[in-house]
Amino acid sequence: MTEAFSSTVPDCEIVTSRVVNAPIQHVFQVWANPKHLQNWWGPAGFTNTFYEFDFREGGKWHFIMHGPDRGNYANECIFVKIEPPFLIVWERLTKPLFRVVVTFQDVTSDSTKIVFRQVFDTVDACNKIKTFAGNKNEEVFDRLEKELKSVF
């Protein structure tokens, strides 16, 4: 992994990790394939409408997250770095602004460690999200695991 994506200031990031019971190739596939990603992306109760998902470096990801509160949350991102099946990095182009760095690591042949990092430019920007992001990120991982079980 490129050093630029691996070193940050801890007070400017939110890190969530989980080991899932699936091979790294399967885990990467449910992140890289929009047919799978739209099924599980977001906290519990959220759904997605994907308008664009160009999974390549420089490609755009444009979608709306529909919350259980009937809110609609526009998201535009650009993929910065993709190293299958180990790394996906994207920048959010809509507020709140941050970079996402997702790494995948073989634990065993049938389990994978995922580390999901949200990296902010300032401590203040990070703190605005930090109060709720941890629990919501865990809900995202719960949904990811359900998708893996239903697909493989």
Side-chain angles (χ1 to χ4, degrees), residues 145-152:
E145 286 192 287
K146 287 179 186 173
E147 181 71 9
L148 284 164
K149 288 177 185 174
S150 73
V151 174
F152 301 103

Side-chain angles (χ1 to χ4, degrees), residues 2-151:
T2 308
E3 181 65 27
F5 301 121
S6 62
S7 63
T8 62
V9 178
D11 288 343
C12 291
E13 68 181 12
I14 300 166
V15 180
T16 308
S17 66
R18 184 174 292 189
V19 174
V20 297
N21 293 319
I24 194 169
Q25 294 290 351
H26 293 177
V27 176
F28 191 86
Q29 184 177 356
V30 299
W31 286 77
N33 184 326
K35 291 180 183 176
H36 297 301
L37 185 61
Q38 71 182 7
N39 291 336
W40 64 268
W41 185 250
F46 278 73
T47 60
N48 297 286
T49 302
F50 282 19
Y51 296 103
E52 182 177 9
F53 188 82
D54 183 6
F55 191 68
R56 63 179 176 84
E57 292 180 12
K60 291 186 179 177
W61 179 18
H62 174 222
F63 64 102
I64 303 289
M65 293 181 76
H66 310 285
D69 61 355
R70 298 184 186 239
N72 293 304
Y73 307 96
N75 287 265
E76 289 191 45
C77 308
I78 189 163
F79 292 104
V80 176
K81 188 79 175 164
I82 300 171
E83 295 178 2
F86 304 106
L87 174 71
I88 304 171
V89 179
W90 70 84
E91 296 274 352
R92 281 182 50 96
L93 304 176
T94 49
K95 291 185 180 181
L97 302 176
F98 54 89
R99 172 175 282 190
V100 173
V101 179
V102 187
T103 57
F104 307 89
Q105 178 184 2
D106 284 310
V107 176
T108 68
S109 61
D110 292 323
S111 63
T112 304
K113 181 177 182 180
I114 306 164
V115 178
F116 180 83
R117 293 173 47 221
Q118 296 164 279
V119 183
F120 299 81
D121 287 337
T122 67
V123 173
D124 286 341
C126 183
N127 286 340
K128 288 179 183 176
I129 305 298
K130 194 175 269 188
T131 58
F132 62 86
N135 290 337
K136 296 303 179 187
N137 290 347
E138 291 295 336
E139 292 176 8
V140 172
F141 277 146
D142 292 344
R143 294 181 69 194
L144 164 68
E145 286 192 287
K146 287 179 186 173
E147 181 71 9
L148 284 164
K149 288 177 185 174
S150 73
V151 174

